[in-house]
């Protein structure tokens, strides 16, 4: 597959969230605001791409039996780097995302791609795969967060969109709203796919 | 007496008020993935309770006797996830050798527990909440019970759903999400409950 | 046997290299974190007491409130230090006081920088850190929230549900109450130990 195809597949056709149902925890946990969604998406993309690069580079040095722990150490290292850098340079986002930053390490998307792709392919395709999947993840987060922030707060990225007389649907920002929005979005996607 | 009340209070918080799945969004992948049948849900739940309790134990020890004395708290993510991965591997081996029947029932779920964000999540929360060793173990236990509770409830509902008339686009993931939303809404009623 | 040694060695090398790199980055980011923390404090301080040109730090020893939860690690000490700053203008006149109030709200600890004038009435507040629910408790960072506290004395620091004048954020009573209570107890601590128009440091 051409590198470009490796990239685009992660965006729609094999979108990790909507199609493969991976990475659900952060998807529902950080999408109460678009800003959080973008932050998490980009952080996860960074970890995914960097981990893919390293794993693809050292894949021949790792005996098969210990490959999962080895992948985990690589991924965890980059997650820790993201954690430390965010804490230092983006403290507000760091506090908003909270527990979900270290939890990037168990994001099934990252370990899944390492196992399914980076562990078996060369570096350049792995980069494209990582970028595509990561941005597909980010896209999914932004879509869900947009719906939730818009309905639940009348804003997008903190900018007031609805008139101030709009009574927000608070439920959209709270926990149940995450599940409901997700369910309806997935149903809509299913309908679109049938067509 | 004071201790009993505190323990009860912690149990209520971990199982109902701040349920790991419905309020904290942790453990969603297995929640959606394994809740189709009641017996597999129960099996997975039991395994998770076991792993979460053990994981809380070992990660607490590592944090307090290794990371803090050596001032290497920044290695928490790596240390914790490696501990959990090893623990799961070990538990799998033990069950395989000592209870082959149990292994046949649970076997395929066990490796999945490594990426269950609820396990890593509770380990990190134990440190953040500054629980004592005893408190951490209890928190892990109760968190696991809360997870199993909603998993089993969900499985019960989904088994019924199979017999209901679900719109085509909603079948599978979407309706599961809507159900989860309903459950989250119900559990939201516990908010503010304190002893 | 040699096979397992090789497995262990590879894993160990990866872990060692990773730890080394992380230790290095930790060394770089840790001071930056502390530095930006300090800067945020300084700017918040100037914001809540704009008439002050310089600040002097002081502290009071206060009894540490313990929740005595046997399941949580308890602090050994019985007292803690309540830090605050006195603000002075160019002519070295006391303008007021600043301190940071903190209390756990709904989902996070909310830290508020509070500026008091000489008579212990609130000049201005600024939320320094919080991770409350977006759209609900997180609304405490909006200017309209801080406005509710301007000019209040410690007796008036009550949420409407508790008989006061401060109207809670819709759907975020817990957050509002936590913030209000943290400010109230801090102002009470300060006014109990400092004579309102005292100039300079402690007399002791």
């Amino acid at each position: 597959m051409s590198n470009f195809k490796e990239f685009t597949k992660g965006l729609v056709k094999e979108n990790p969230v909507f199609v493969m149902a991976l990475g659900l925890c952060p998807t529902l946990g950080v999408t109460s605001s678009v800003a959080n969604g973008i932050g998490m998406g980009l952080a996860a993309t960074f970890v995914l791409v960097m981990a893919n690069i390293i794993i693809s580079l050292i894949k021949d040095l790792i005996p098969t039996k210990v490959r999962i722990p080895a992948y985990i150490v690589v991924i965890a290292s980059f997650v820790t780097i993201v954690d430390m850098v965010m804490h230092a340079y983006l403290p507000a986002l760091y506090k908003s995302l909270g527990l979900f930053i270290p939890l990037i390490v168990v994001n099934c998307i990252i370990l899944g791609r390492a196992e399914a792709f980076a562990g078996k392919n060369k570096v350049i395709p792995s980069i494209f795969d990582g970028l595509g999947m990561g941005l597909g993840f980010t896209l999914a987060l932004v879509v869900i967060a947009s719906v939730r922030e818009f309905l639940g707060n009348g804003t997008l990225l903190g900018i007031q969109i609805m008139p101030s007389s709009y009574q927000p649907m608070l439920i959209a920002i709270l926990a149940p709203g995450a599940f409901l929005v997700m369910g309806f979005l997935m149903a809509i996607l299913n309908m679109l796919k049938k067509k | 007496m004071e201790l009993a009340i505190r323990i009860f209070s912690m149990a209520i918080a971990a199982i109902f008020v701040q349920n790991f799945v419905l309020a904290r969004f942790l453990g969603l992948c297995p929640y959606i993935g394994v809740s189709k049948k009641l017996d597999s849900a129960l099996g997975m739940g039991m395994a998770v309770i076991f792993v979460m309790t053990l994981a809380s134990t070992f990660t607490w020890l590592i944090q307090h006797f290794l990371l803090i004395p050596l001032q290497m708290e920044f290695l928490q993510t790596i240390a914790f996830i490696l501990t959990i991965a090893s623990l799961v591997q070990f538990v799998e081996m033990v069950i395989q050798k000592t209870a082959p029947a149990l292994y046949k029932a649970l076997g395929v779920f066990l490796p999945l527990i490594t990426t269950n964000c609820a396990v890593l999540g509770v380990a990190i929360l134990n440190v953040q909440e500054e629980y004592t060793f005893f408190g951490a173990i209890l928190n892990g236990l109760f968190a696991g019970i809360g997870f199993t509770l909603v998993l089993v409830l969900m499985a019960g509902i989904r088994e019924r759903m199979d017999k209901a008339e679900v719109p085509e686009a909603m079948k599978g993931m979407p309706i599961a999400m809507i159900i989860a939303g309903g459950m989250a809404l119900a559990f939201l009623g516990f908010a503010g409950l304190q002893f | 046997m040699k096979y397992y040694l090789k497995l262990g060695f590879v894993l160990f090398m990866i872990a060692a290299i990773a730890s080394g790199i992380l230790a290095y980055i930790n060394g770089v980011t840790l001071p930056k974190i502390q530095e930006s923390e300090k800067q945020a404090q300084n700017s918040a301080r100037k914001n809540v007491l704009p008439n002050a040109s310089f600040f002097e730090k002081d502290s009071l020893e206060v009894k540490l409130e313990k929740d005595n939860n046997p399941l949580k690690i308890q602090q050994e000490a019985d007292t803690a230090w309540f830090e605050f700053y006195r603000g002075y203008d160019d002519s070295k006149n006391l303008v007021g006081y600043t301190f940071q109030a903190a209390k756990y709200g709904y989902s996070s600890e909310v830290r508020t920088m509070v500026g008091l004038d000489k008579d212990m009435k609130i000049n201005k507040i600024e939320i320094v850190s919080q991770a409350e629910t977006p759209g609900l408790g997180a609304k405490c960072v909006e200017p309209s929230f801080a406005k509710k506290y301007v000019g209040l004395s410690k007796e008036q620091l009550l949420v409407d549900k508790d008989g006061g004048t401060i109207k809670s954020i819709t759907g975020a009573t817990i957050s509002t109450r936590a913030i209000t209570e943290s400010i109230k107890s801090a102002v009470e601590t300060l006014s109990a130990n400092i004579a309102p128009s005292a100039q300079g440091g402690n007399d002791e």
Side-chain angles (χ1 to χ4, degrees), chain A residues 21-26 28-29 69 72-73 76-77 79-80 84 99-100 102-103 105-106 108 111 148 171 174-176 178-180 182-184 186-188 190-191 194, chain B residues 21-29 31-32 74-75 77-78 81-82 85 114-117 120-121 124-125 128 168-171 173-174 177-178 180-182 184-185 188:
Chain A
L22 294 177
L24 291 175
C25 297
L28 294 172
I72 289 178
V73 174
S77 306
V79 171
T80 310
M84 292 197 276
L99 189 61
F100 286 102
L103 286 182
V105 75
V106 286
C108 339
L111 193 60
R148 288 183 70 193
I171 194 88
L174 297 176
F179 290 107
L180 294 173
M182 185 71 168
F184 281 116
M186 281 181 152
I188 294 176
N190 277 349
M191 287 202 298
K194 300 280 172 176
Chain B
V21 180
L22 300 176
R24 293 195 196 260
F25 299 114
L26 299 176
L28 281 175
C29 292
Y31 177 63
I32 298 289
F74 60 90
L75 286 181
T77 307
I78 296 188
I81 190 63
L82 278 180
T114 311
T115 51
N116 185 335
C117 24
L120 182 60
I124 298 178
L125 281 170
Q128 280 182 0
E168 194 60 43
M170 280 277 189
K171 284 210 176 121
M173 283 287 293
M177 282 287 170
I178 306 285
L185 201 52
L188 197 58

Side-chain angles (χ1 to χ4, degrees), chain B residues 70-126:
Chain B
L70 295 176
Q71 290 189 329
M72 296 207 291
E73 288 98 327
F74 60 90
L75 286 181
Q76 183 184 76
T77 307
I78 296 188
F80 278 17
I81 190 63
L82 278 180
T83 308
I84 294 171
S86 322
L87 199 59
V88 171
Q89 192 81 324
F90 178 68
V91 167
E92 208 183 331
M93 283 200 299
V94 166
I95 294 186
Q96 194 172 16
K97 291 250 160 71
T98 61
L102 187 62
Y103 183 72
K104 263 191 113 176
L106 293 184
V108 65
F109 303 133
L110 287 172
L112 287 177
I113 299 180
T114 311
T115 51
N116 185 335
C117 24
V119 184
L120 182 60
V122 77
I124 298 178
L125 281 170
N126 284 341

Side-chain angles (χ1 to χ4, degrees), chain C residues 45-198:
Chain C
R45 203 167 289 127
K46 289 207 186 73
N47 183 24
V48 298
L49 208 59
N51 293 332
S53 2
F54 68 94
F55 294 93
E56 256 178 30
K57 190 162 143 180
D58 199 352
S59 44
L60 294 166
E61 198 164 2
V62 292
K63 191 161 174 296
L64 185 61
E65 260 182 54
K66 298 194 191 189
D67 65 359
N68 280 321
N69 188 345
L71 296 170
K72 291 206 183 189
I73 300 175
Q74 298 298 324
Q75 305 277 37
E76 301 241 333
D78 282 318
T79 59
W81 290 99
F82 173 72
E83 278 180 9
F84 66 99
Y85 285 75
R86 285 188 175 78
Y88 299 95
D89 63 17
D90 295 317
S91 336
K92 302 232 177 136
N93 294 321
L94 180 72
V95 172
Y97 310 87
T98 66
F99 57 83
Q100 204 175 233
K103 193 165 174 159
Y104 194 83
Y106 184 74
S107 54
S108 68
E109 189 188 58
V110 184
R111 283 188 249 150
T112 317
M113 184 64 84
V114 180
L116 301 177
D117 62 18
K118 290 205 296 284
D119 307 313
M120 303 271 177
K121 286 216 174 71
I122 296 188
N123 185 46
K124 197 172 176 187
I125 69 161
E126 183 185 308
I127 305 288
V128 171
S129 101
Q130 58 85 23
E132 302 291 273
T133 319
L136 297 177
K139 278 202 154 99
C140 64
V141 301
E142 287 171 12
S144 54
F145 182 77
K147 273 211 196 81
K148 302 186 201 201
Y149 291 85
V150 174
L152 296 185
S153 65
K154 66 181 191 304
E155 294 83 12
Q156 296 171 301
L157 282 168
L158 286 170
V159 171
D160 53 8
K161 290 216 171 103
D162 297 328
T165 52
I166 300 174
K167 194 167 174 300
S168 305
I169 300 172
T170 317
T173 318
I174 297 179
S175 306
T176 316
R177 202 179 251 140
I179 296 172
T180 311
E181 278 172 5
S182 68
I183 300 177
K184 185 176 169 69
S185 80
V187 178
E188 282 173 348
T189 304
L190 201 60
S191 57
N193 288 283
I194 306 278
S197 26

Side-chain angles (χ1 to χ4, degrees), chain C residues 25-36:
Chain C
I25 298 190
N26 189 44
V28 168
T29 52
L30 203 56
K32 182 73 175 67
I33 293 173
Q34 290 162 339
E35 179 61 40
S36 46

Side-chain angles (χ1 to χ4, degrees), chain B residues 141-158:
Chain B
L141 177 66
F142 293 136
I145 293 178
F147 172 78
T148 305
L149 176 69
V150 295
L151 190 63
V152 167
L153 286 175
M154 179 65 132
I157 299 177
R158 280 181 94 174

Side-chain angles (χ1 to χ4, degrees), chain A residues 129-193:
Chain A
D129 178 87
L131 265 179
M133 288 287 163
L135 290 178
F137 177 60
T138 311
L139 190 63
L141 290 182
V142 169
V143 167
I144 298 172
S146 304
V147 175
R148 288 183 70 193
E149 189 182 338
F150 183 67
L151 289 178
N153 207 21
T155 64
L156 273 182
L157 275 178
I159 306 170
Q160 191 75 25
I161 306 243
M162 296 291 262
S164 45
S165 52
Y166 173 66
Q167 285 282 36
M169 281 205 281
L170 283 177
I171 194 88
I173 305 194
L174 297 176
F179 290 107
L180 294 173
V181 169
M182 185 71 168
F184 281 116
L185 279 178
M186 281 181 152
I188 294 176
L189 275 166
N190 277 349
M191 287 202 298
L192 291 174
K193 263 200 281 179

